[in-house]
Amino acid sequence: MIIKTVNLETVCGITSTLPKNELPEIAFAGKSNVGKSSLINGLMNRKALARTSAQPGKTQTINYYNINDELYFVDLPGYGYAKVNEDTKKKWGKMIENYLHKSETLVLVFLLIDIRHDPSANDRQMYEWIIANGYYPVIIATKLDKLKRSQVQKHLNVIRTKMKLRGDTPIFPYSALTKQGREEIYDFIDEVLANIEEVEE
């Protein structure tokens, strides 16, 4: 995948109607402090198009990024942010569920997990939620640069075990600092899109 053009095309709040896109959509879900905006910026090869912040919970909308006029990266609201009241959390949850249920061109969901820590109950709940809506999420294990190389496989095994992942679920370790893992994610996206084109033909 070569990123030529990127455009933040649509921003949907709690009361917004989701757009009816014709291009394939790839969604990104994860906890508020997991580095989702940093990952999306890294994949888009932009420094700050997706808003990053020292304060988690900044993504409170569903943001659609048009990539090369070929597909959308869809940034979903972060979950599990402790400083948000329960009512707001429920509204964000409904936004995510509404998106998963109603998107007509969603082809892939990436679920981000912090590689340093055991997956949380919220992570597991989100994984099951995505499956309940008909998708098998692919895991991106963020903050890879925070671990020694010798620790990586052990932590990936913990994620696979604690999340009770299907045996064929890919996990891509990723570092926003070094961009390690980006090419592997690009290749996987290209493969998914190529498979869709074959089916359509």
Side-chain angles (χ1 to χ4, degrees):
M1 171 176 280
I2 298 172
I3 304 296
K4 297 173 185 173
T5 60
V6 174
N7 177 37
L8 175 56
E9 190 170 288
T10 310
V11 176
C12 291
I14 289 168
T15 59
S16 303
T17 301
L18 297 175
K20 289 192 176 295
N21 294 320
E22 294 184 359
L23 298 175
E25 295 175 3
I26 295 174
F28 297 82
K31 276 196 303 194
S32 298
N33 58 352
V34 77
K36 185 157 53 67
S37 295
S38 297
L39 166 74
I40 293 171
N41 281 326
L43 292 177
M44 296 190 302
N45 215 15
R46 300 294 187 273
K47 285 189 176 176
L49 191 54
R51 291 171 61 192
T52 58
S53 173
Q55 181 183 1
K58 277 291 183 185
T59 305
Q60 301 177 13
T61 52
I62 299 176
N63 300 330
Y64 292 76
Y65 297 93
N66 184 317
I67 311 295
N68 298 340
D69 286 326
E70 294 174 353
L71 72 150
Y72 289 96
F73 285 172
V74 182
D75 186 6
L76 300 175
Y79 58 83
Y81 183 45
K83 291 185 181 179
V84 171
N85 64 46
E86 286 302 317
D87 186 50
T88 302
K89 284 182 186 176
K90 286 178 182 176
K91 286 178 180 175
W92 289 358
K94 283 181 181 177
M95 284 174 69
I96 296 172
E97 186 174 36
N98 187 46
Y99 170 75
L100 292 173
H101 191 62
K102 291 188 176 179
S103 171
E104 296 177 357
T105 58
L106 178 60
V107 296
L108 175 63
V109 181
F110 284 117
L111 179 58
L112 280 60
I113 307 287
D114 188 328
I115 196 171
R116 301 171 299 172
H117 307 302
D118 286 4
S120 68
N122 279 326
D123 291 326
R124 178 67 195 162
Q125 184 180 36
M126 179 56 67
Y127 179 74
E128 291 174 352
W129 209 10
I130 294 168
I131 289 175
N133 279 279
Y135 302 92
Y136 278 96
V138 170
I139 307 299
I140 296 179
T142 60
K143 311 200 179 186
L144 175 62
D145 50 277
K146 306 291 187 184
L147 289 184
K148 294 178 182 175
R149 189 175 295 179
S150 60
Q151 298 174 306
V152 171
Q153 194 57 52
K154 174 188 166 188
H155 283 254
L156 292 177
N157 289 340
V158 168
I159 290 174
R160 191 171 286 282
T161 302
K162 298 267 184 178
M163 292 290 288
K164 299 177 183 175
L165 300 180
R166 293 197 320 178
D168 59 349
T169 300
I171 304 182
F172 295 103
Y174 177 80
S175 165
L177 189 65
T178 66
K179 305 300 183 287
Q180 184 177 344
R182 181 167 66 177
E183 292 306 317
E184 289 81 357
I185 296 169
Y186 279 162
D187 289 345
F188 185 79
I189 291 172
D190 284 340
E191 191 177 318
V192 169
L193 295 176
N195 288 339
I196 292 166
E197 287 178 6
E198 280 183 19
V199 170
E200 289 177 347
E201 288 173 2

